[in-house]
Amino acid sequence: MEILDVPSQDFLKQGTRSHMFFEKDGTPIITPNTKGKRRYPCTKDIQQVLECDDNLFLDFIMSCLIWEPEKRMTPENALRHEWILDGLPPQILIHHQKLHNISDNELPLSVK
């Protein structure tokens, strides 16, 4: 939650133990951890936490961390993400395209 903020009310309603961690209005119950540190929603930036300036990588990670599974990036979409495709050597990219039915037109400009 320090990075993503508080989950939606609808999402919290699906949890069987949400009442242990959130008030009825969705406000998180802030309790100190074993070291006495309290953590608050939306107080950290993913770029700072990961010490990374690669925007494609940060987008990939944030797309994986979305609370609601139906809004989260699917494994198939992850395999088509520009960060994944950009990191593949040309020979592997060709195999990856065939395996996942990715046409040349679907490739990001940075990969073409």
Side-chain angles (χ1 to χ4, degrees), residues 31-44:
T31 56
N33 64 14
T34 56
K35 295 181 180 181
K37 180 169 173 72
R38 294 177 187 268
R39 301 187 183 273
Y40 297 93
C42 238
T43 55
K44 292 190 177 179

Side-chain angles (χ1 to χ4, degrees), residues 76-111:
E76 182 62 33
N77 288 340
L79 291 169
R80 293 169 175 263
H81 192 279
E82 187 174 356
W83 180 74
I84 295 290
L85 298 174
D86 197 34
L88 296 175
Q91 303 87 339
I92 303 297
L93 178 60
I94 292 167
H95 176 71
H96 187 81
Q97 282 182 265
K98 290 178 184 174
L99 188 63
H100 300 288
N101 298 317
I102 303 171
S103 71
D104 287 341
N105 294 339
E106 293 177 85
L107 291 175
L109 291 176
S110 64
V111 178

